[in-house]
Every structure is written in C-alpha cells, then in structure tokens.
Amino acid sequence: MAHRIVVIGAGFGGLSAVLGLKGQGCEITLIDQRNHHLFQPLLYQVATTVLATSDIAWPVRALMRKRKDVTTLLARVVGIDRGQKRVTLNDGSQIPYDTLIVATGARHAYFGKDHWESTAPGLKTLEDATTIRRRLLLAFEEAEASEDPETRAALMTFAVIGAGPTGVELAGMIAELAHRTLPGEFRRIDTTRARILLIEAGPRILPSFSEPLTDYAAGALTRRGVELRTGTPVTDCSEEGVTIGTDFVPARTVIWAAGVQASPAGIWLGAETDRAGRAMVSAQLTLPDDPAVFVLGDTAHVESEGRMVPGVAPAAKQQGDYAARVIRARLSGKEPPAPFRYRDMGNLATVGRNAAVIEFGRYRLRGRLAWWFWGIAHIYFLIGARSRLLVSISWLWTFLWGQSSARLITQRDPWRRD
Amino acid sequence: MAHRIVVIGAGFGGLSAVLGLKGQGCEITLIDQRNHHLFQPLLYQVATTVLATSDIAWPVRALMRKRKDVTTLLARVVGIDRGQKRVTLNDGSQIPYDTLIVATGARHAYFGKDHWESTAPGLKTLEDATTIRRRLLLAFEEAEASEDPETRAALMTFAVIGAGPTGVELAGMIAELAHRTLPGEFRRIDTTRARILLIEAGPRILPSFSEPLTDYAAGALTRRGVELRTGTPVTDCSEEGVTIGTDFVPARTVIWAAGVQASPAGIWLGAETDRAGRAMVSAQLTLPDDPAVFVLGDTAHVESEGRMVPGVAPAAKQQGDYAARVIRARLSGKEPPAPFRYRDMGNLATVGRNAAVIEFGRYRLRGRLAWWFWGIAHIYFLIGARSRLLVSISWLWTFLWGQSSARLITQRDPWRRD
C-alpha cells in the first residue's frame, strides 16, 4: 500500500512539501479551508486597491491538476488524533495518515486584547484585504459626505499599528492612495490632507533591518506624508480612535500589523508550544516525540544555527522542501539529511513608489534600484505567466499615472463597515 | 445661479447623460448606491470565473475626475419630492434640483415568487456575480466530498431559468467551466458529467432573435452539453431542485435569468408605470406631467416608432445622450430635438467558445466570426486601455488553455452558500 501523507495547509510550506514529494508514489491528501493558494507578500496591495484578488490567488486544485497522486480537499480540520494517526474534518470524516505535515500558518494576535479585532482588522486572508480596502474607501466617502469638521478629520485619519514590513508597506500605500490616486476625485475634501499614522511600540520602524535602512525608510515615509509614532505602544483601540500611550488620536480607520499568533495546530497536536503558539520541533522539523508529524512555517518554532527562523515565505518554502527530503530519505531507506538549516534570502520591504529597502547579509540596497529589484523579484515569484502579466500591467498603470485598478467597494450594503 | 441637475444612477443611461452635459456650466450631482460603474454585459463572465470584478467596474469618481462640474455621491435615494424639487438620501440630507434624471436600472423579478430569490439568485450586481461564482465552485467541491450518489448528482446539476441572452451566456459558460476548465482537477467526480439545464417557459431560446439564429444557438448549446427545456415554465424552486411543469429535477445550483423589474423609482416619483414597474414617459423621455424629470434606461417604458425600446445598454446610452440634448436645447433657448428615436444596434449573444449569434436588421452572423466580432466589440466598449488589456489577456488564456483566472471562493466561512 502506498505511503499516505496528509498535508494541512496549502500555503508556501505545504505546497513546497507537496512539490518535493513528486514522483514518490505516495498517496497525498492536501487539505485547506480556502480553495486558493495566496501570495501573502502582495496582499497589502489588494488592501490598498492596486491589485485584484485573483492576481495573487490561484485555485489549489488547478495547481495540483497534473499531480494525480494528490487529492485536494476544501475542508476545515477540527482535530488530529496522533494515537490513531488520523485527521478529523469539519464534516466529521476522518483521514488516516502515515506521515502528517502541518503548515497552517498564523493569524494576527492582539496580545490579550481580542476585542480590538473588530476595530483594527489584520491582514492575512483575501477577505481581510477586501475588508480593509472597503474601510479605506468608505472613510473617504464618509468624509466627503460629512458636514462636521471633527468627524471629517477622524475619517481622514488612518492608523496602522505595527511597523514591520507589512505595517510600513500598508502605510506607504495608503499615502500613495491619498496623495497620488484620489486627488481631484472629491469635491469637498482634499485627500492630500489625510493623516496616516504608523505606530510602533519599539524604538524604530522595520526592526529586522539594520539602522541605516530603518533611517532611510523613516525619511522616505515622512516625505510621503506618513507620521511616525515610535517608542510608545497603543494602549486602547475603539471605533473613535487609537490611544498611543496616553495620547488619544481620533481615527476611524485602524489596521493591525503588530503581531501574529500561530494557528491552533499546536493545540490539536497536543504539542509543546512557544508563547506565540508555535509548536516546538526537532532539527528534522518533526515533533520531538513523534517523527511522523512535521510542523512547518509560521506554525512551527524552528531554530537554525541557534537563532529562530523568521515567519517569512522563503523560510516556509525551505522547510516544506526539507520535510519532503526527509520523507524521501525515509521511504528509500537512506540516511536522513542533515538538520534543517535556514538560508537567509535577505529582507525586503517597499516604502512607496521608487523607494524600497533590501538587506542581504552585509549587502544593503535602498531607493529606486531596490524598488525595481523588489518588483521584479515579486513578479518572478508569482505563479504563472498570466498573473505576471496582469500584475505587471496593474503596476505599470499605478506607477505611471497613479491609477489603481481595484478601487471597488463590494458588499450588499455599501455602508456597512465589515 | 447654475442650473442644478441631479442624476440618480451611474449606469449606462446616467453616465451618458452626464457626458452629454459637459461644458454647459451646470451644477451636476451624480448619485449612486455603489462606488462603481459596472459593465453589465460581461457580468456573466465574472459569475463564471473568467473575469475579475475589477476588470469590468470602474470607480465613478475616477470617471468624473476631470469634470469639476460634477459632484459624485455614494448614497441611496429614499425618496423624491417633485413638489419641492428635491431628492432625499439615506442619511436624511436633501439635494435640490432644477432638472432630475432618474436612471436607476432594474432588478430581477420573480413574478410574485419572491421567496425563490434565496435559492435562485439573479445577476445584476458584482455581489450577485461573486455569489453565483461561489455557488458554482462550492457545488463541485461538495460533490467531490460527498459519498452519496444522489446528493452528488444533485450537486452536479445546474439549472439556469430563462433563455434570453443572459441565460444562454450563463449556461454556455457553465458548460465551458465543467467541460474545459475543471476536468483533471477532481479525483472522485468527473466534472464533464455535470448536467446543465437551460429552462425556458416560451417555445424557444433567445426569443428576441430570428428563428434560424435560435436554431443555431440551440444546436451549439446542445453540442456543448447543455440540456434545453423549452415550452414549460418552472413551477417551483427549492434548496433541493427545480420543478419544470410537473417534472422535479434535483439541482442544488439554480440561477435566475428569467425576468427583471424596474427599480422603485416609479413609486418614488408617483408616476404611472407599466406592469414591470417602468415609468411611462413622453416622447422627450420626461414624465408626461413634469418636464423637469427625465426617466431613462431600464427604469423607463420608452416607445420608439410604436415599439417598446428593449432594456439593453445601447438603448440606455442613447436615452442618456438624448436627455442631455433636450436639456442643452432648453438651457440655450433653442427648439427641443425631435422625439426620441431608438437606433437598433443589433442583438448579440455568445453561446460559448467560437460560437455567437449576431442580428442586425436583415443581417445575420453566427459561429466563429460572430464570436470574434462579439469579443472585439465588447473589448472596445470597456472603459480605458488597462481594462481592455486585462480582459484581452484573461480571454486569451481562457481561449487557448481553458484556464479561467478568477476561480476564487472568498468569504469568511467558505462553506456558507450566500
């Protein structure tokens, strides 16, 4: 009987594991609760109206079309029984496995302030992105309709909490939207007077980058009209605004980019987890007491050369690839590969048009060249020639004329906020 | 003081009226309850996963950017006071007018069976299209997950009610999806065995076309795997299926393309309406007793040379243009133009890849050439070079490889049907 492998999660980790298992004669079941693989690094561009949802998401089934050894299931996992070696789905059915790969990613974490979520949505799924897009566009619409100067000011204030790459990219793109795309379209408000706050509890933005690049990014953001508020945490968040330390700022649109929490896979597995809920794994990326269960990507706490591997797409891909290599070695009775070692592919973040920062070991790049490099690299990593063409065209238009293509408010009641 | 014109509805009628009033020094307010103008003739391609929502929808504000005489409002009209000459919006504010143009379109009509709507959604808005897209894709997903042959058969049966152009185009595209796009992606079901029913109470499909073209379209649909059920009306519609006459067919996905009802503008106006709720208008497209109020497009019952003008995009455009000419004549004190006369631009419908029908007076065209003509004409009528490029690329991919780009199920709970 063929070796049965169940992969939970069709993100970067899960997909690269499946790719690495091609031609091994295994019986693979790939489970995801969405029907699409999502290119999360560009999700902020959907949220800020530059890209369409379908530009950065592909049906998992279509990606697996030629892999007759893979069965794709649209389902939600509700439990894992390691004793019986089976996964339970939301419809009650159970999928047995010989090897299990858990790569279910992460959600945003509110550090015990879960009630902030409805006010300050995070950005992890396509639905998150269209929710944020709708709120951004509706804020300008409501400001245009409002007669009260204070309400209008609160509507024209946008607060992004957390200044890692996602927070920086969101703030930069909201500034582009307000300063380049929307001017001239409203009759009562001046969108260039929108306030965009980027709030960071730590001392500086982009803490994973070196200080010179942080300084450059801070300058580039400031020139684009983003107000940086570093060194003080957000202490409250409500429909009316955010409180930074003790300073209340009226802001009707708040976006959360401050932290993530692993998916509950650690709990399903009954595994030891770190503070962020990531399962602790061995040097072979399996549970220490259960070599049949791999945990990858944002769901796992992986160490490489004494340092924790960051929760980024290249890390998840490398781990998926590594897990496949371990399984292939086991199936062929060969020696297991050397412990997982993370190859740091560098850090990239865009700040806005013609401005990005790149750090690769000792090499640093910033400004226009970094921005073009960033764009070309991301086009390259998209799946399929069509997505590359469509994204290139959308970027060209935005670059040349500031016109973004996906400025749609879509929902039955256009005035509802969520 | 400038002449104040309020236009309700940014569809084909409203927009062409606004375009025709350029440079007249009027103070125009353009009100729509959506933030986008929608190219409805291609909406069925969003519902069937070929096009992205943003390919066929453009922000009204962006279209009006250079028209400083136009103020765009995202709002819902809740009433019109013809005595006081003002329009009341959902937030309670009132917009005074000297001339009012009502072009609010139509919704689907269920002929007194309004409870069918939740089972059999119609196709008028982007949200309708993504709802239908989600149901189509979920039906295949559920069929793949189902163990019961009867449930699976009901899930693989798709019923389109109404065989006008929209119904024919939907049925043809669902057949393409099942026969060209999806095969190979599922492991338990064979999508080419999906049943697609096109149900029409009248004796033939595409009743607005001549019989030879109807016969051609019927043959082309049948060859593509669509079952035609003409001559018997649907008598019931439920979660379980449709009843055609007395014949119950289990079908979990039902789409309504059988009839439309004008928006309630006729009621707001206190105007005389026809059976479908369209306001009766004079030869100048105004209410007979109120020359300050124009009613256009699907909201109006317009006659031209003794025949009712059909509810199609070119008719709405011509009426918007005509209303603008009447207003220009009034403002400059000139003679009013001759009564509105509809120029029939012909009838077009696609049946599937390489198959379309075109009728223009005595000229008839069908098959591959008609299909290419149809495609080029629709690309031409899209707004902006970017949309034309993006739609061309998506069509090219679908044409060459059968791969549609927007096969996304997006909503918080992927398993909810609406």
Side-chain angles (χ1 to χ4, degrees):
Chain A
M1 204 173 105
H3 189 80
R4 295 167 303 181
I5 303 177
V6 171
V7 181
I8 312 176
F12 291 110
L15 273 194
S16 78
V18 172
L19 293 180
L21 290 164
K22 188 175 176 179
Q24 299 300 305
C26 302
E27 196 177 275
I28 302 172
T29 306
L30 176 56
I31 305 169
D32 200 290
Q33 55 178 329
R34 310 273 159 182
N35 83 327
H36 48 269
H37 169 69
L38 178 65
F39 192 76
Q40 274 189 0
L42 288 179
L43 194 53
Y44 77 97
Q45 296 215 350
V46 174
T48 51
T49 78
V50 173
L51 296 178
T53 50
S54 48
D55 289 342
I56 59 160
W58 306 271
V60 179
R61 290 194 181 287
L63 301 177
M64 294 297 137
R65 173 196 291 267
K66 291 184 180 162
R67 287 289 299 275
K68 299 304 172 194
D69 55 333
V70 179
T71 299
T72 304
L73 291 184
L74 174 69
R76 182 173 292 141
V77 170
V78 294
I80 294 168
D81 184 337
R82 286 209 273 144
Q84 303 278 336
K85 287 194 158 190
R86 57 194 186 192
V87 173
T88 307
L89 305 182
N90 55 322
D91 67 356
S93 62
Q94 297 193 315
I95 316 286
Y97 66 81
D98 299 309
T99 299
L100 176 66
I101 299 176
V102 179
T104 46
R107 284 291 295 169
H108 9 279
Y110 290 84
F111 311 125
K113 308 278 190 180
D114 288 353
H115 56 286
W116 291 2
E117 183 164 14
S118 65
T119 312
L123 185 62
K124 277 283 170 193
T125 65
L126 280 184
E127 292 80 5
D128 292 338
T130 49
T131 296
I132 290 172
R133 182 175 82 183
R134 178 164 57 237
R135 289 193 186 191
L136 291 173
L137 294 173
L138 274 180
F140 288 107
E141 292 291 342
E142 289 183 53
E144 174 86 347
S146 168
E147 303 285 345
D148 176 52
E150 278 184 30
T151 308
R152 194 176 273 188
L155 285 162
M156 300 263 293
T157 304
F158 302 86
V160 178
I161 304 174
T166 303
V168 164
E169 288 173 331
L170 275 170
M173 290 302 292
I174 297 170
E176 297 268 296
L177 188 67
H179 293 278
R180 275 194 88 218
T181 306
L182 297 180
E185 297 193 1
F186 292 83
R187 299 292 173 257
R188 300 173 185 173
I189 59 169
D190 176 359
T191 62
T192 64
R193 299 184 63 186
R195 278 182 79 186
I196 298 125
L197 274 68
L198 180 60
I199 307 164
E200 168 61 45
R204 61 192 183 97
I205 67 167
L206 294 176
S208 60
F209 288 77
S210 63
E211 284 207 39
L213 289 184
T214 287
D215 292 345
Y216 166 79
L221 281 171
T222 308
R223 277 194 301 280
R224 281 167 174 76
V226 176
E227 289 175 45
L228 304 183
R229 303 288 288 259
T230 50
T232 314
V234 166
T235 50
D236 197 24
C237 227
S238 75
E239 293 275 302
E240 304 301 320
V242 285
T243 308
I244 308 168
T246 55
D247 180 19
F248 173 74
V249 181
R252 290 289 179 85
T253 311
V254 185
I255 305 173
W256 187 260
V260 294
Q261 171 86 21
S263 62
I267 299 168
W268 301 336
L269 291 166
E272 191 194 342
T273 59
D274 68 7
R275 278 200 318 161
R278 289 180 285 247
M280 307 302 291
V281 293
S282 71
Q284 291 210 330
L285 308 184
T286 65
L287 293 183
D289 61 346
D290 193 344
V293 178
F294 291 83
V295 189
L296 311 179
D298 290 356
T299 323
H301 180 115
V302 180
E303 303 214 347
S304 170
E305 298 171 310
R307 291 178 59 188
M308 209 192 108
V309 176
V312 295
K317 280 186 177 181
Q318 290 174 30
Q319 292 169 29
D321 192 56
Y322 179 84
R325 278 197 287 141
V326 174
I327 295 168
R328 289 204 307 267
R330 286 183 190 167
L331 291 174
S332 58
K334 290 193 186 135
E335 281 292 298
F340 174 75
R341 195 157 154 265
Y342 172 56
R343 279 173 297 128
D344 190 344
M345 303 305 282
N347 260 330
L348 284 78
T350 45
V351 178
R353 195 161 166 258
N354 285 327
V357 288
I358 297 179
E359 191 153 37
F360 178 62
R362 294 181 306 120
Y363 297 97
R364 291 174 194 154
L365 195 62
R366 64 191 200 192
R368 188 185 296 264
L369 192 60
W371 188 76
W372 282 95
F373 179 84
W374 171 93
I376 291 164
H378 279 75
I379 297 257
Y380 172 79
F381 282 115
L382 292 172
I383 300 177
R386 178 171 46 187
S387 289
R388 291 186 189 124
L389 256 172
L390 296 179
V391 169
S392 301
I393 291 170
S394 290
W395 282 357
L396 188 70
W397 250 256
T398 309
F399 177 74
L400 292 177
W401 297 289
Q403 285 303 303
S404 55
S405 57
R407 276 149 60 200
L408 302 178
I409 303 174
T410 51
Q411 59 180 11
R412 302 225 167 259
D413 177 357
W415 286 101
R416 241 181 52 201
R417 293 188 78 230
D418 49 67
Chain B
M1 205 173 104
H3 189 80
R4 294 166 305 181
I5 302 177
V6 170
V7 180
I8 311 176
F12 290 110
L15 273 194
S16 78
V18 172
L19 293 179
L21 290 164
K22 186 176 177 179
Q24 299 300 305
C26 302
E27 195 177 277
I28 302 173
T29 305
L30 176 56
I31 306 169
D32 200 290
Q33 54 179 329
R34 309 273 159 180
N35 82 327
H36 48 268
H37 169 70
L38 178 65
F39 192 77
Q40 275 189 359
L42 288 179
L43 194 53
Y44 77 96
Q45 297 216 349
V46 174
T48 52
T49 79
V50 173
L51 296 179
T53 50
S54 47
D55 289 343
I56 59 160
W58 306 270
V60 179
R61 288 192 183 290
L63 301 177
M64 293 296 137
R65 173 195 291 265
K66 291 184 179 161
R67 287 290 299 275
K68 299 306 172 192
D69 55 332
V70 179
T71 300
T72 304
L73 291 184
L74 175 69
R76 182 173 292 141
V77 170
V78 293
I80 295 168
D81 184 337
R82 286 209 273 144
Q84 302 279 335
K85 287 194 158 191
R86 58 195 185 192
V87 172
T88 306
L89 305 182
N90 54 323
D91 67 356
S93 62
Q94 298 194 315
I95 316 286
Y97 66 81
D98 299 310
T99 299
L100 176 66
I101 299 176
V102 178
T104 46
R107 285 291 294 169
H108 10 278
Y110 291 84
F111 311 126
K113 308 276 190 180
D114 287 353
H115 56 286
W116 290 2
E117 183 163 13
S118 65
T119 311
L123 186 61
K124 276 284 170 191
T125 66
L126 280 184
E127 292 81 4
D128 292 339
T130 50
T131 296
I132 290 172
R133 182 175 81 183
R134 178 164 58 237
R135 290 193 185 190
L136 291 174
L137 294 173
L138 274 180
F140 288 108
E141 292 292 341
E142 289 184 53
E144 173 87 346
S146 169
E147 304 286 346
D148 177 52
E150 277 186 31
T151 307
R152 194 176 273 188
L155 284 162
M156 301 259 298
T157 304
F158 302 85
V160 178
I161 304 174
T166 302
V168 165
E169 289 172 332
L170 276 169
M173 290 302 292
I174 296 170
E176 297 268 297
L177 188 67
H179 294 278
R180 275 195 88 219
T181 305
L182 296 180
E185 296 193 1
F186 292 83
R187 298 292 173 259
R188 301 174 185 172
I189 59 169
D190 176 0
T191 61
T192 64
R193 298 185 62 186
R195 277 182 79 186
I196 298 126
L197 274 68
L198 179 60
I199 308 164
E200 168 61 45
R204 61 191 183 99
I205 67 166
L206 294 176
S208 60
F209 288 77
S210 63
E211 284 206 39
L213 289 184
T214 287
D215 292 345
Y216 166 79
L221 281 172
T222 308
R223 277 193 303 279
R224 280 166 174 77
V226 176
E227 290 176 44
L228 304 184
R229 303 287 289 259
T230 50
T232 315
V234 167
T235 50
D236 197 23
C237 225
S238 75
E239 293 276 302
E240 304 303 318
V242 285
T243 308
I244 308 168
T246 54
D247 180 20
F248 173 73
V249 181
R252 290 288 179 86
T253 311
V254 185
I255 305 173
W256 187 260
V260 294
Q261 171 86 21
S263 61
I267 298 167
W268 300 336
L269 291 166
E272 191 194 344
T273 59
D274 68 8
R275 278 199 319 160
R278 290 180 285 247
M280 307 301 292
V281 293
S282 71
Q284 292 211 327
L285 307 185
T286 65
L287 293 183
D289 63 345
D290 192 345
V293 178
F294 291 83
V295 190
L296 310 179
D298 289 356
T299 322
H301 181 114
V302 180
E303 304 212 346
S304 170
E305 297 171 310
R307 292 178 59 190
M308 210 191 106
V309 176
V312 295
K317 280 186 177 180
Q318 291 174 30
Q319 291 169 30
D321 192 56
Y322 179 83
R325 278 197 287 141
V326 174
I327 294 168
R328 289 204 308 268
R330 286 183 191 168
L331 290 173
S332 58
K334 288 188 186 141
E335 281 292 298
F340 174 75
R341 195 156 155 265
Y342 173 55
R343 277 173 297 129
D344 190 344
M345 303 304 282
N347 261 331
L348 283 78
T350 45
V351 179
R353 194 161 168 257
N354 286 328
V357 287
I358 298 179
E359 190 152 39
F360 178 64
R362 293 181 308 120
Y363 297 98
R364 292 174 194 154
L365 196 61
R366 65 191 200 191
R368 188 186 296 264
L369 191 62
W371 189 75
W372 283 94
F373 179 84
W374 172 92
I376 291 165
H378 279 74
I379 297 248
Y380 172 78
F381 281 115
L382 292 172
I383 300 177
R386 176 170 48 188
S387 290
R388 291 186 189 124
L389 257 172
L390 296 178
V391 169
S392 302
I393 291 169
S394 290
W395 282 358
L396 188 70
W397 250 256
T398 309
F399 177 73
L400 293 177
W401 297 288
Q403 285 302 303
S404 55
S405 58
R407 276 148 61 201
L408 302 178
I409 303 174
T410 52
Q411 61 180 11
R412 301 226 166 258
D413 177 358
W415 285 99
R416 241 180 54 200
R417 293 187 79 229
D418 49 65

